[in-house]
Amino acid sequence: MSGGGTSSGKPQGAFAFAPSQPSPRYPRPSKHGDTVMLLLLRLPLALFAAALACSFAAPAQAQAPRDRVFVASYGTDTGNTTCSFEAPCRTFQNAVNNVAVGGEVTAIDSAGFGQISITQSVTITSPKGVEAGIVAPVGANTIDINGSNIIVVLRGLTLEGNGISGSGINFLSGGGELQIIGCKIHNFVDEGIVLQPDASSGTTSVLIKDTVISDNFIDGISLATRNYGTLQVALDEVIVNNNGIGIAVNTAPSAVELMVSNSHIDNNKTDGLSLQGGTGALATAVLKNVTINETTGMALKGYADVWLSQVTQTTAPGVNGGFGLTFSGSNNAAYSDGTNQLMGGYGGGASLQSWSSQ
Amino acid sequence: MPFRQLPALLAAAFVCSLAAAPALAQSRDRVFVASYGTDSGNTTCSFEHPCRTFQNAVNNVAAGGEVTAIDSAGFGQINITQSVTITSPPGVEAGVVAPAGADTVDISGSNLIVVLRGLTLEGNTTSNQGVNFSSGSGELQIIGCRIRNFAYNGILAIPSTGALSLVVKDTVLSDSGYGMTLFPGAGSTIKAALDEVTVNNNAYGIGTAANAAAVELLISNSHVDNNQNDGLIMLGGSTSLMSTAILNNVTFNETQTGIALTGYSLAWLSHVTATSAPGIGTGVSLAFSGSNNTAFSDGTNHLMGGYSNGVTLQPWGLQ
């Protein structure tokens, strides 16, 4: 069924999302193919003959990139541009270099597959039962992502910093989306995940789910924006444990919205959640069913809003000496719906405002 | 019959039976695909001799049988017209990519039971739908799948005859025109249950159109976030053709409207959190347009973006 919804007996029109209509986001498949055919038809015969002769030399030319490529412990990169299941590549980088835009890179077995630089849409998967890891050299990042409006999905990967590598994921793309699902990211000297989109090309969406981010020296997750774009981040079923700061949001120069649900931000060394905004660039976080167990649970450092529902912030005598919620700078606000437990109390004049339910 | 002809006839019958045997083979209840499989002349798709494509396996499995992927590969688009279960088990990454303008999985038929488990459906922005239940009725289960990047819909359900029961669980619907659209034809209905579903970064999250037949949608423990327009948009046709949604423990975090009731629509909200961040969201949590819309709340919801167009919430009492 192509398009759908308009055959006899089906309801028609009347609704903006009727599948017979083009999506508001993606145009219909382009007509570039028709244009190419027309040009080919107009080629002089001699040119066509020359093209035909060249086509016989095809083995020397690279084939179109595959939609699906593979890496394996027994794979090889040398001269390998197909990365097929039968002849997989050895590194993620060679696979990423040779997969089609929007294609899939899958690990066949468990191994380390090397650091990756990503500049186009791609999905990299370590399926269950396979332990695909990445270790980077001293000071380097395991995964760098930088493109405009690209969609990158990372699933099931283990990123290990060994206490010497820079960051686990360094995301500098503008627009588009990053999904991190089922990953383990630990032990980096900088951050586990850096989200600093150059958002001049639009809103950037980030989804982090079912992932552990631990033991990173500076921040577990660092969020900021560049060039006045906006950043929307959703975390669900995420554990942020034993980092310097758990999640650090610094919104300058433009707004960041963070939504955290069903997650644990525990045992980080200073702040569990640090929110710092600026004039015209509010830092907003909504927390629902989250535990926070740090020296300072939530630190609002100016132009920051936090909305709390079913949040449990703990403080054990002799272990945690700080506060549940602190304010510094100006224009901070914390809202509570009466379902939260903030055991560490308040510092810096922090107080809660009512967040009414409907 | 002269006896001297008997041996020749027996021999001929024997040869014929040999030749006909493959055509008479019964379909297996359980068939397999693998990266190293082959379709040519393969009608058994056994574990020892798997097929290469889901389509050849589906063509040769018994009605109601199971198709399982042995290893990771792309197994090609599928047209399903009988009950079947297609599984990519944990540890296997079985994907489907379709050409531009096509669907990755098409399903049509009456009273079918189709189960899709663990599949990755990739639209590359040019394919039409991830899963298209394009006619008929029955049940469709989509469990543990990833469906993304389609020009139109991640999931499109447009049953035409009788009821469709749809279950979507532990699945990510992202980066498509619509994450999911429910659009039953006249004479049909849809009851859909979503649990632990992530609907992320689509143009619209979920759409229900009951202007020809009623739709009931139950969403629990799910996240409808970062969609560019409405998280959930609903439309009915009349007081007997309502679009109904019951939401329990669901987050909405969109650029525009969280939940949009656009006529003859009912929404029942419990533990719903709909956010709207200054500087990012420009819409509202709940919007009405058209007529005959009602939203009920049990007092456990946070609708941070507020309401538009004179929306009020009706109490939804606990017993």
PDB file of all heavy atoms in Angstrom, chain A residues 57-78:
ATOM      1  N   ALA A  57      34.909  -1.676 -16.766  1.00  0.00           N
ATOM      2  CA  ALA A  57      36.020  -1.579 -15.828  1.00  0.00           C
ATOM      3  C   ALA A  57      35.524  -1.512 -14.385  1.00  0.00           C
ATOM      4  O   ALA A  57      36.269  -1.226 -13.483  1.00  0.00           O
ATOM      5  CB  ALA A  57      36.850  -0.333 -16.135  1.00  0.00           C
ATOM      6  N   ALA A  58      34.239  -1.815 -14.224  1.00  0.00           N
ATOM      7  CA  ALA A  58      33.604  -1.639 -12.913  1.00  0.00           C
ATOM      8  C   ALA A  58      34.345  -2.256 -11.737  1.00  0.00           C
ATOM      9  O   ALA A  58      34.369  -1.678 -10.667  1.00  0.00           O
ATOM     10  CB  ALA A  58      32.174  -2.163 -12.951  1.00  0.00           C
ATOM     11  N   PRO A  59      34.975  -3.437 -11.904  1.00  0.00           N
ATOM     12  CA  PRO A  59      35.615  -4.021 -10.725  1.00  0.00           C
ATOM     13  C   PRO A  59      36.612  -3.092 -10.047  1.00  0.00           C
ATOM     14  O   PRO A  59      36.861  -3.206  -8.857  1.00  0.00           O
ATOM     15  CB  PRO A  59      36.318  -5.255 -11.297  1.00  0.00           C
ATOM     16  CG  PRO A  59      35.475  -5.646 -12.460  1.00  0.00           C
ATOM     17  CD  PRO A  59      34.998  -4.345 -13.042  1.00  0.00           C
ATOM     18  N   ALA A  60      37.157  -2.151 -10.800  1.00  0.00           N
ATOM     19  CA  ALA A  60      38.104  -1.222 -10.188  1.00  0.00           C
ATOM     20  C   ALA A  60      37.389  -0.127  -9.404  1.00  0.00           C
ATOM     21  O   ALA A  60      38.000   0.578  -8.630  1.00  0.00           O
ATOM     22  CB  ALA A  60      38.980  -0.595 -11.262  1.00  0.00           C
ATOM     23  N   GLN A  61      36.070  -0.002  -9.612  1.00  0.00           N
ATOM     24  CA  GLN A  61      35.347   1.069  -8.940  1.00  0.00           C
ATOM     25  C   GLN A  61      34.622   0.535  -7.709  1.00  0.00           C
ATOM     26  O   GLN A  61      34.213  -0.619  -7.670  1.00  0.00           O
ATOM     27  CB  GLN A  61      34.310   1.678  -9.889  1.00  0.00           C
ATOM     28  CG  GLN A  61      34.947   2.342 -11.103  1.00  0.00           C
ATOM     29  CD  GLN A  61      33.896   2.919 -12.028  1.00  0.00           C
ATOM     30  OE1 GLN A  61      32.721   2.598 -11.902  1.00  0.00           O
ATOM     31  NE2 GLN A  61      34.327   3.766 -12.933  1.00  0.00           N
ATOM     32  N   ALA A  62      34.459   1.399  -6.730  1.00  0.00           N
ATOM     33  CA  ALA A  62      33.758   0.989  -5.521  1.00  0.00           C
ATOM     34  C   ALA A  62      32.280   0.804  -5.834  1.00  0.00           C
ATOM     35  O   ALA A  62      31.696   1.563  -6.610  1.00  0.00           O
ATOM     36  CB  ALA A  62      33.935   2.031  -4.432  1.00  0.00           C
ATOM     37  N   GLN A  63      31.649  -0.203  -5.227  1.00  0.00           N
ATOM     38  CA  GLN A  63      30.214  -0.372  -5.364  1.00  0.00           C
ATOM     39  C   GLN A  63      29.510   0.622  -4.457  1.00  0.00           C
ATOM     40  O   GLN A  63      30.111   1.211  -3.574  1.00  0.00           O
ATOM     41  CB  GLN A  63      29.835  -1.795  -4.972  1.00  0.00           C
ATOM     42  CG  GLN A  63      30.369  -2.835  -5.940  1.00  0.00           C
ATOM     43  CD  GLN A  63      29.949  -4.238  -5.532  1.00  0.00           C
ATOM     44  OE1 GLN A  63      29.816  -4.508  -4.353  1.00  0.00           O
ATOM     45  NE2 GLN A  63      29.739  -5.097  -6.506  1.00  0.00           N
ATOM     46  N   ALA A  64      28.207   0.775  -4.706  1.00  0.00           N
ATOM     47  CA  ALA A  64      27.434   1.654  -3.828  1.00  0.00           C
ATOM     48  C   ALA A  64      27.531   1.130  -2.400  1.00  0.00           C
ATOM     49  O   ALA A  64      27.523  -0.078  -2.176  1.00  0.00           O
ATOM     50  CB  ALA A  64      25.986   1.677  -4.287  1.00  0.00           C
ATOM     51  N   PRO A  65      27.628   2.029  -1.433  1.00  0.00           N
ATOM     52  CA  PRO A  65      27.738   1.566  -0.043  1.00  0.00           C
ATOM     53  C   PRO A  65      26.539   0.720   0.349  1.00  0.00           C
ATOM     54  O   PRO A  65      25.420   0.947  -0.100  1.00  0.00           O
ATOM     55  CB  PRO A  65      27.767   2.882   0.751  1.00  0.00           C
ATOM     56  CG  PRO A  65      28.153   3.922  -0.218  1.00  0.00           C
ATOM     57  CD  PRO A  65      27.640   3.481  -1.551  1.00  0.00           C
ATOM     58  N   ARG A  66      26.763  -0.256   1.190  1.00  0.00           N
ATOM     59  CA  ARG A  66      25.691  -1.134   1.641  1.00  0.00           C
ATOM     60  C   ARG A  66      24.897  -0.487   2.773  1.00  0.00           C
ATOM     61  O   ARG A  66      25.440   0.270   3.568  1.00  0.00           O
ATOM     62  CB  ARG A  66      26.275  -2.443   2.165  1.00  0.00           C
ATOM     63  CG  ARG A  66      26.904  -3.315   1.116  1.00  0.00           C
ATOM     64  CD  ARG A  66      27.662  -4.457   1.753  1.00  0.00           C
ATOM     65  NE  ARG A  66      28.171  -5.369   0.726  1.00  0.00           N
ATOM     66  CZ  ARG A  66      27.903  -6.673   0.707  1.00  0.00           C
ATOM     67  NH1 ARG A  66      27.175  -7.220   1.659  1.00  0.00           N
ATOM     68  NH2 ARG A  66      28.381  -7.436  -0.253  1.00  0.00           N
ATOM     69  N   ASP A  67      23.626  -0.877   2.869  1.00  0.00           N
ATOM     70  CA  ASP A  67      22.790  -0.402   3.973  1.00  0.00           C
ATOM     71  C   ASP A  67      23.192  -1.043   5.297  1.00  0.00           C
ATOM     72  O   ASP A  67      22.892  -0.517   6.362  1.00  0.00           O
ATOM     73  CB  ASP A  67      21.318  -0.760   3.719  1.00  0.00           C
ATOM     74  CG  ASP A  67      20.719   0.063   2.611  1.00  0.00           C
ATOM     75  OD1 ASP A  67      21.171   1.202   2.428  1.00  0.00           O
ATOM     76  OD2 ASP A  67      19.814  -0.439   1.939  1.00  0.00           O
ATOM     77  N   ARG A  68      23.803  -2.208   5.225  1.00  0.00           N
ATOM     78  CA  ARG A  68      24.043  -3.002   6.439  1.00  0.00           C
ATOM     79  C   ARG A  68      25.431  -3.578   6.366  1.00  0.00           C
ATOM     80  O   ARG A  68      25.749  -4.329   5.441  1.00  0.00           O
ATOM     81  CB  ARG A  68      22.999  -4.112   6.504  1.00  0.00           C
ATOM     82  CG  ARG A  68      22.957  -4.898   7.784  1.00  0.00           C
ATOM     83  CD  ARG A  68      21.801  -5.857   7.747  1.00  0.00           C
ATOM     84  NE  ARG A  68      20.549  -5.170   7.470  1.00  0.00           N
ATOM     85  CZ  ARG A  68      19.809  -4.571   8.386  1.00  0.00           C
ATOM     86  NH1 ARG A  68      20.180  -4.607   9.631  1.00  0.00           N
ATOM     87  NH2 ARG A  68      18.699  -3.951   8.061  1.00  0.00           N
ATOM     88  N   VAL A  69      26.250  -3.241   7.302  1.00  0.00           N
ATOM     89  CA  VAL A  69      27.619  -3.749   7.321  1.00  0.00           C
ATOM     90  C   VAL A  69      27.918  -4.322   8.709  1.00  0.00           C
ATOM     91  O   VAL A  69      27.173  -4.091   9.664  1.00  0.00           O
ATOM     92  CB  VAL A  69      28.638  -2.646   6.950  1.00  0.00           C
ATOM     93  CG1 VAL A  69      28.337  -2.058   5.579  1.00  0.00           C
ATOM     94  CG2 VAL A  69      28.659  -1.559   8.012  1.00  0.00           C
ATOM     95  N   PHE A  70      29.033  -5.044   8.795  1.00  0.00           N
ATOM     96  CA  PHE A  70      29.322  -5.804  10.009  1.00  0.00           C
ATOM     97  C   PHE A  70      30.788  -5.654  10.418  1.00  0.00           C
ATOM     98  O   PHE A  70      31.663  -5.452   9.584  1.00  0.00           O
ATOM     99  CB  PHE A  70      29.005  -7.284   9.777  1.00  0.00           C
ATOM    100  CG  PHE A  70      27.562  -7.542   9.491  1.00  0.00           C
ATOM    101  CD1 PHE A  70      27.077  -7.502   8.182  1.00  0.00           C
ATOM    102  CD2 PHE A  70      26.666  -7.786  10.517  1.00  0.00           C
ATOM    103  CE1 PHE A  70      25.733  -7.714   7.913  1.00  0.00           C
ATOM    104  CE2 PHE A  70      25.318  -8.002  10.253  1.00  0.00           C
ATOM    105  CZ  PHE A  70      24.849  -7.962   8.951  1.00  0.00           C
ATOM    106  N   VAL A  71      31.006  -5.797  11.717  1.00  0.00           N
ATOM    107  CA  VAL A  71      32.362  -5.919  12.248  1.00  0.00           C
ATOM    108  C   VAL A  71      32.428  -7.212  13.060  1.00  0.00           C
ATOM    109  O   VAL A  71      31.411  -7.700  13.552  1.00  0.00           O
ATOM    110  CB  VAL A  71      32.754  -4.723  13.146  1.00  0.00           C
ATOM    111  CG1 VAL A  71      32.787  -3.431  12.349  1.00  0.00           C
ATOM    112  CG2 VAL A  71      31.805  -4.593  14.340  1.00  0.00           C
ATOM    113  N   ALA A  72      33.648  -7.750  13.170  1.00  0.00           N
ATOM    114  CA  ALA A  72      33.835  -8.964  13.965  1.00  0.00           C
ATOM    115  C   ALA A  72      35.268  -9.019  14.459  1.00  0.00           C
ATOM    116  O   ALA A  72      36.165  -8.361  13.899  1.00  0.00           O
ATOM    117  CB  ALA A  72      33.516 -10.212  13.139  1.00  0.00           C
ATOM    118  N   SER A  73      35.500  -9.820  15.496  1.00  0.00           N
ATOM    119  CA  SER A  73      36.844  -9.962  16.061  1.00  0.00           C
ATOM    120  C   SER A  73      37.807 -10.528  15.029  1.00  0.00           C
ATOM    121  O   SER A  73      39.001 -10.256  15.069  1.00  0.00           O
ATOM    122  CB  SER A  73      36.794 -10.886  17.279  1.00  0.00           C
ATOM    123  OG  SER A  73      36.404 -12.180  16.888  1.00  0.00           O
ATOM    124  N   TYR A  74      37.298 -11.324  14.101  1.00  0.00           N
ATOM    125  CA  TYR A  74      38.131 -11.956  13.084  1.00  0.00           C
ATOM    126  C   TYR A  74      38.081 -11.194  11.757  1.00  0.00           C
ATOM    127  O   TYR A  74      38.579 -11.680  10.746  1.00  0.00           O
ATOM    128  CB  TYR A  74      37.664 -13.400  12.858  1.00  0.00           C
ATOM    129  CG  TYR A  74      36.185 -13.505  12.567  1.00  0.00           C
ATOM    130  CD1 TYR A  74      35.676 -13.355  11.280  1.00  0.00           C
ATOM    131  CD2 TYR A  74      35.272 -13.714  13.606  1.00  0.00           C
ATOM    132  CE1 TYR A  74      34.327 -13.412  11.024  1.00  0.00           C
ATOM    133  CE2 TYR A  74      33.916 -13.780  13.365  1.00  0.00           C
ATOM    134  CZ  TYR A  74      33.442 -13.639  12.073  1.00  0.00           C
ATOM    135  OH  TYR A  74      32.096 -13.691  11.823  1.00  0.00           O
ATOM    136  N   GLY A  75      37.479  -9.995  11.754  1.00  0.00           N
ATOM    137  CA  GLY A  75      37.350  -9.218  10.524  1.00  0.00           C
ATOM    138  C   GLY A  75      38.668  -8.577  10.121  1.00  0.00           C
ATOM    139  O   GLY A  75      39.663  -8.612  10.847  1.00  0.00           O
ATOM    140  N   THR A  76      38.661  -7.992   8.939  1.00  0.00           N
ATOM    141  CA  THR A  76      39.843  -7.282   8.465  1.00  0.00           C
ATOM    142  C   THR A  76      39.425  -6.004   7.755  1.00  0.00           C
ATOM    143  O   THR A  76      38.396  -5.978   7.069  1.00  0.00           O
ATOM    144  CB  THR A  76      40.685  -8.158   7.524  1.00  0.00           C
ATOM    145  OG1 THR A  76      41.841  -7.427   7.137  1.00  0.00           O
ATOM    146  CG2 THR A  76      39.910  -8.543   6.268  1.00  0.00           C
ATOM    147  N   ASP A  77      40.229  -4.956   7.931  1.00  0.00           N
ATOM    148  CA  ASP A  77      39.939  -3.681   7.276  1.00  0.00           C
ATOM    149  C   ASP A  77      40.689  -3.507   5.966  1.00  0.00           C
ATOM    150  O   ASP A  77      40.223  -2.791   5.072  1.00  0.00           O
ATOM    151  CB  ASP A  77      40.325  -2.520   8.214  1.00  0.00           C
ATOM    152  CG  ASP A  77      39.313  -2.320   9.322  1.00  0.00           C
ATOM    153  OD1 ASP A  77      38.230  -2.932   9.261  1.00  0.00           O
ATOM    154  OD2 ASP A  77      39.612  -1.555  10.258  1.00  0.00           O
ATOM    155  N   THR A  78      41.829  -4.133   5.842  1.00  0.00           N
ATOM    156  CA  THR A  78      42.694  -3.891   4.683  1.00  0.00           C
ATOM    157  C   THR A  78      41.978  -4.250   3.388  1.00  0.00           C
ATOM    158  O   THR A  78      41.602  -5.405   3.173  1.00  0.00           O
ATOM    159  CB  THR A  78      43.998  -4.714   4.805  1.00  0.00           C
ATOM    160  OG1 THR A  78      44.607  -4.402   6.050  1.00  0.00           O
ATOM    161  CG2 THR A  78      44.931  -4.386   3.657  1.00  0.00           C
TER     162      THR A  78
END
